[in-house]
DNA sequence: CTGTTAGCGCCTTCAT
DNA sequence: ATGAAGGCGCTAACAG
């Protein structure tokens, strides 16, 4: 294994000069900097992260925090894609991605604080958020850098990266009404009614109102709940001719129900997340990609900039979603 | 921040004694060991991983490698759940989970080798495998410890953790035929036809043959392919009265198609992975849980034991899947 | 059973 | 613009 000493010797300079040169310290002349860097490259020098972290007092690690849950959360492909995006930028920064994941909020918090105390991790990306999240509270209190992917808590000025979910709701509604000719669309969300679902509903309603189209809305009960209610709902709303759902699986589930009640008809379905990579019989199915990989990448970039409380809001990033034509 | 020096001083011993005591080294008397450990606990001492890793020459990190892919892979909840299982055992071992993920095999390999070279990671869990996987080749060659979750490559004696997929196929078929009374079941797999799908098909066929039931099988084309073929297939197989699919989403997609062709009938569906946490109208839908979290946990345990090429095969772990009644 | 000592590889004052 | 030297926190020979 080749260390900074080796390259210092071979270059005929001191270790400290080599260190500075490799870290692009302007105190070293551009000439020797290049000389040493290319020598290092030629020798296949790779810095030892542990040694680096020890002296710096910070590990070159970004902690990625998953929402606490016993079983897999919905909207799953989102997380994997986001991780890929995060890792893409971490790699080029010579950083490593570590994850904190657990069943309960306490598990995750313990995981995170272990990273902080033992591994000296100082930057985090949260893949979720809700009010009074103990992990966010902890990070805030500890003065550590973190960025939220998704809807941030309203009572803090945390930095975040998100889509404009009102606009996403508008886009889905516009497509459903204008292109797929739905005159009586229904908006379907989960029983949890996440903030992003509320925003998309808002967008949906705005467009429908502007078009003079009546709106309907309902929520899909959880898997363990009786589903008769959906059937009832559908029977009391016989004219529904378009579905906008907050997630592909929710949409699909609702669509199934619809099909059951209206065996010989068809209804267009628009939803979000591109989580179904399989052919669906309904040719009028459209999933809006929210580009989670881009969200992840942007969050990772952001986590290397310092938190600014300025009015400029330069650390609140809104990214576009897929455009439908 | 309190270091090992502090506790050594307060305990009135040398740093090395403190170090040994904290690491449960038998060379230190049980008495002082307990004394020092409780002192450390009282003082809230946490070891610095970076310093530890530097001297040990190995980071207390396990690298978790995702299959290379541009977008989210199918069977997604599997990965998240597996990570949770892995992290559960890593936490109690004072280890941290880092992930390697990327679009191409080269990306992932670069990621892994950076972990190895720079971060001194020496243990890995692969969440996939196929023949001639460059990552596995690299790890094998470098003599690093790794465990595969899932079907291992046949041409090596890598350690792995997996379900018995033939048995899983049998279980699904048994349930479908005996309990749900399917007399003309169809086995549906993906267009990729992964090894685990082949195994489940084999189990399916064995049971069907034993029951004297005719078997049918087909594959679902990819999302971008024309799906007319499924309709054709269904029309030429009008008597299908049960579906066994290798994944919930595949099953659901196929079921949709079936429903389209047979609008007023019902058909039972059995598939794997518990990836749909939503109510489905079809009361005869049954998803077999493969317990990915347990697979992950077992893999993490295994990665701390050394690879044995002995005939005992103690490092090939087969875990049970959900039992249907 | 315990202490002394010498690093692990790197960064960073402090000199020059 | 570059060197020398100390130290980050911990482990592991080597002594005793």
């Amino acid at each position: 294994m080749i260390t900074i000493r080796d390259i210092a010797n071979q270059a005929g300079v001191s270790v400290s000069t080599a260190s500075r040169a490799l870290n692009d310290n302007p105190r070293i002349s551009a000439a020797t900097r290049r000389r040493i860097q290319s020598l290092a490259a030629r020798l296949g020098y790779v810095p030892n992260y542990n040694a680096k972290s020890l002296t710096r007092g910070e590990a070159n690690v970004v902690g990625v925090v998953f929402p606490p849950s016993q079983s897999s959360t919905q909207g799953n492909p989102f997380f994997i894609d986001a991780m890929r995006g995060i890792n893409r930028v971490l790699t080029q920064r010579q950083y490593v991605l570590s994850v904190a994941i657990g069943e309960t909020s306490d598990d995750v918090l313990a995981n995170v604080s272990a990273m902080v105390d033992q591994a000296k991790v100082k930057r985090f990306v949260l893949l979720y958020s809700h009010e009074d999240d103990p992990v966010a509270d902890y990070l805030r209190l500890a003065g550590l850098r973190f960025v939220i992917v998704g809807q941030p808590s309203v009572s803090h000025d945390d930095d975040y990266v998100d889509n404009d979910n009102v606009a996403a709701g508008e886009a889905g509604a516009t497509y459903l009404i204008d292109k797929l000719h739905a005159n009586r669309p229904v908006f379907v969300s989960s029983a949890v009614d996440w903030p992003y679902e509320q925003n998309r509903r808002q967008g949906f309603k705005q467009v429908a109102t502007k078009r003079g189209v009546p709106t309907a809305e309902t929520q899909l009960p959880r898997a363990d709940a009786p589903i008769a209610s959906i059937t009832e709902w559908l029977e009391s709303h016989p004219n529904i001719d378009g579905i906008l759902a907050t997630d592909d699986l929710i949409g699909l589930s609702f669509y199934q129900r619809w099909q059951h009640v209206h065996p010989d008809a068809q209804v267009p379905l628009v939803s979000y997340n591109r989580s179904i990579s399989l052919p669906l019989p309904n040719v009028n199915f459209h999933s809006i990609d929210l580009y989670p990989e881009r969200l992840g990448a942007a969050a990772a970039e952001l986590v290397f900039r310092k938190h600014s409380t300025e009015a400029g809001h330069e650390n609140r990033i809104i990214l576009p979603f897929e455009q439908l034509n």
Side-chain angles (χ1 to χ4, degrees), chain A:
Chain A
M1 191 198 139
I2 154 161
T3 77
I4 202 172
R5 279 187 75 124
D6 300 324
I7 85 135
N9 289 151
Q10 297 222 19
V13 298
S14 74
V15 175
S16 54
T17 299
S19 172
R20 291 192 184 103
L22 292 172
N23 290 304
D24 266 321
N25 189 318
R27 288 169 56 182
I28 303 298
S29 73
T32 44
R33 238 187 294 168
R34 267 185 293 107
R35 185 167 64 87
I36 291 181
Q37 287 177 1
S38 69
L39 175 62
R42 210 169 332 119
L43 298 184
Y45 165 76
V46 291
N48 183 325
Y49 282 4
N50 299 126
K52 209 165 187 168
S53 300
L54 182 58
T55 56
R56 286 197 319 152
E58 171 181 354
N60 46 354
V61 169
V62 168
V64 173
V65 187
F66 279 70
S69 72
Q70 297 181 18
S71 58
S72 35
T73 335
Q74 201 188 325
N76 254 282
F78 184 92
F79 294 117
I80 310 270
D81 290 339
M83 275 209 299
R84 192 178 302 107
I86 293 170
N87 203 46
R88 200 179 63 223
V89 347
L90 294 194
T91 297
Q92 66 193 35
R93 290 220 181 223
Q94 309 259 85
Y95 264 65
V96 157
L97 187 167
S98 287
V99 336
I101 186 171
E103 296 199 2
T104 70
S105 212
D106 285 347
D107 289 341
V108 177
L109 181 56
N111 208 174
V112 168
S113 74
M115 285 178 142
V116 172
D117 294 335
Q118 325 217 26
K120 310 300 175 195
V121 178
K122 300 230 190 299
R123 298 168 199 277
F124 291 86
V125 173
L126 305 204
L127 294 184
Y128 70 102
S129 88
H130 36 74
E131 299 293 328
D132 301 321
D133 175 41
V135 174
D137 288 345
Y138 166 82
L139 293 172
R140 233 176 265 121
L141 203 63
L144 295 167
R145 183 81 184 104
F146 72 99
V147 173
I148 292 168
V149 173
Q151 187 88 2
S153 154
V154 293
S155 47
H156 304 275
D157 71 331
D158 301 329
D159 292 345
Y160 66 86
V161 177
D162 199 4
N163 300 112
D164 181 340
N165 280 303
V166 175
E170 291 176 349
T174 302
Y175 189 75
L176 190 62
I177 295 170
D178 291 358
K179 298 295 166 87
L180 303 180
H181 312 298
N183 294 314
R184 298 189 174 269
V186 57
F187 183 89
V188 186
S189 59
S190 79
V192 182
D193 203 31
W194 294 97
Y196 65 80
E197 295 184 300
Q198 299 170 20
N199 287 344
R200 290 182 202 155
R201 181 187 302 116
Q202 187 191 325
F204 164 77
K205 281 184 174 175
Q206 286 171 7
V207 169
T209 302
K210 190 177 293 178
R211 299 285 189 282
V213 158
T215 66
E217 54 188 85
T218 187
Q219 294 183 352
L220 212 59
R222 302 159 138 273
D224 45 4
I227 56 175
S229 55
I230 306 182
T231 306
E232 283 173 26
W233 191 94
L234 278 170
E235 282 168 352
S236 64
H237 295 73
N239 296 322
I240 294 302
D241 63 355
I243 303 170
L244 180 60
T246 55
D247 182 85
D248 292 341
L249 284 178
I250 290 176
L252 194 54
S253 180
F254 189 85
Y255 176 82
Q256 287 269 112
R257 206 65 193 143
W258 191 91
Q259 210 175 35
H260 187 74
V261 175
H262 307 276
D264 294 314
Q266 270 223 343
V267 65
L269 165 63
V270 175
S271 50
Y272 300 84
N273 278 340
R274 279 269 160 107
S275 45
I276 298 176
S277 59
L278 290 167
L280 285 181
N282 188 338
V283 290
N284 277 328
F285 169 58
H286 295 269
S287 180
I288 300 177
D289 196 339
L290 299 175
Y291 301 138
E293 186 161 348
R294 296 189 195 174
L295 291 173
E301 302 277 12
L302 193 47
V303 88
F304 287 106
R305 292 214 289 278
K306 54 183 178 312
H307 175 73
S308 104
T309 46
E310 295 163 26
H313 284 269
E314 0 170 279
N315 290 347
R316 320 292 150 78
I317 299 183
I318 300 296
L319 290 184
F321 46 84
E322 182 187 9
Q323 293 301 319
L324 299 178
N325 303 313

